[in-house]
Amino acid sequence: MGNEFADQVVIVTGASRGIGKAAAIAFAQKGAKVIINYLGQDAKAKDTLNQIEAMGGKGWLFRVDLSQLDPVEKMINQIEQEIGPIHVLVNNAAAFNREPFLDISIEELDRVWNTNVRGMFYLSQLAARSMAARQKGSIVHVSSIGARLAVMNRSVYCASKGAMESLTRCMALDLAPYHIRVNAISPGVIRTDGLLDGMSDPSLATALEAYIPGGRLGEPEEVASAIVFL
């Protein structure tokens, strides 16, 4: 346990598993009050909280669909009223698509976009307004190498991450006068449920590892370390 983030409120979206879970635990290890946002993974989110509390950390569960704007606003208001002002926001939650471009419906486009871009935008805006009032804060977006590399059957996901990285640069400029730092991290092939769920053939993971120069997939904890640094 450390104290670099003692009593600071840190929101981590999509914190029930994978990179979000690792980031939530990493912040808690450094003394943060961690907001564990999640959707549809109650048992896994509870496990994140249990791990944080088992090491003496502080965490709160918020089951909120980020694609719905009213619940997002209510979450921010409740956090600030009951827990404290927001110091750090980690936008990790993401929706995926796994269909060929020709088969993607507008409804599917909206589903992914509303979480990965629209919801992320609105949550960031609400958090940044709080940070701006105190002239201090940090926002970290978890993007993907898919923002710059083509991935078959992931067109909407890749497009949403491209939008996220463009927004990161614009936010960084607009929020710099308020001493709010905005960064994005673009993980490669990381051993997460999101990655493995998309592999119908388990041998694909082995093939990926053989392709990677280091000979292995990245681990969520490694990405979490970079997020905490930023």
Side-chain angles (χ1 to χ4, degrees):
M1 298 288 291
N3 61 1
E4 293 94 325
F5 292 89
D7 294 325
Q8 293 189 26
V9 175
V10 176
I11 301 174
V12 182
T13 68
S16 63
R17 62 181 190 169
I19 293 171
K21 180 173 190 171
I25 292 171
F27 276 109
Q29 288 173 333
K30 295 184 179 295
K33 297 178 178 178
V34 182
I35 306 303
I36 303 163
N37 163 258
Y38 70 102
L39 178 66
Q41 298 279 343
D42 293 289
K44 291 184 177 181
K46 182 62 175 175
D47 184 66
T48 302
L49 178 61
N50 288 342
Q51 289 192 43
I52 287 174
E53 291 181 339
M55 62 188 186
K58 298 177 181 179
W60 289 261
L61 296 175
F62 279 81
R63 192 180 196 274
V64 174
D65 183 349
L66 299 180
S67 70
Q68 304 300 312
L69 303 189
D70 285 346
V72 168
E73 185 172 355
K74 290 178 181 177
M75 177 179 71
I76 292 296
N77 290 338
Q78 185 178 350
I79 290 169
E80 297 213 305
Q81 292 171 10
E82 299 178 8
I83 302 171
I86 300 162
H87 296 83
V88 178
L89 169 63
V90 180
N91 282 308
N92 167 75
F96 298 88
N97 85 286
R98 295 188 171 94
E99 301 81 20
F101 177 76
L102 293 178
D103 297 335
I104 298 170
S105 65
I106 292 299
E107 290 76 17
E108 178 69 355
L109 170 66
D110 288 343
R111 183 188 69 83
V112 175
W113 202 262
N114 285 348
T115 294
N116 296 5
V117 182
R118 185 169 177 262
M120 177 272 296
F121 178 98
Y122 190 57
L123 175 59
S124 297
Q125 190 177 61
L126 294 177
R129 286 171 179 162
S130 172
M131 295 173 182
R134 292 175 288 106
Q135 293 284 300
K136 185 178 182 180
S138 176
I139 298 173
V140 181
H141 301 315
V142 179
S143 183
S144 166
I145 57 172
R148 283 155 284 113
L149 299 177
V151 181
M152 186 175 289
N153 299 337
R154 301 289 189 277
S155 57
V156 179
Y157 175 77
C158 290
S160 72
K161 291 302 185 179
M164 172 183 272
E165 293 197 1
S166 182
L167 183 61
T168 300
R169 291 186 285 270
C170 293
M171 286 175 59
L173 287 178
D174 285 357
L175 297 178
Y178 302 98
H179 305 287
I180 300 171
R181 295 179 300 104
V182 185
N183 290 282
I185 184 168
S186 298
V189 186
I190 308 300
R191 191 186 306 278
T192 65
D193 291 345
L195 174 72
L196 300 178
D197 287 350
M199 296 183 181
S200 56
D201 184 352
S203 66
L204 289 175
T206 302
L208 273 175
E209 289 180 332
Y211 176 78
I212 298 169
R216 67 174 180 84
L217 302 179
E219 298 297 336
E221 292 75 17
E222 295 171 316
V223 182
S225 294
I227 293 172
V228 170
F229 170 77
L230 291 173

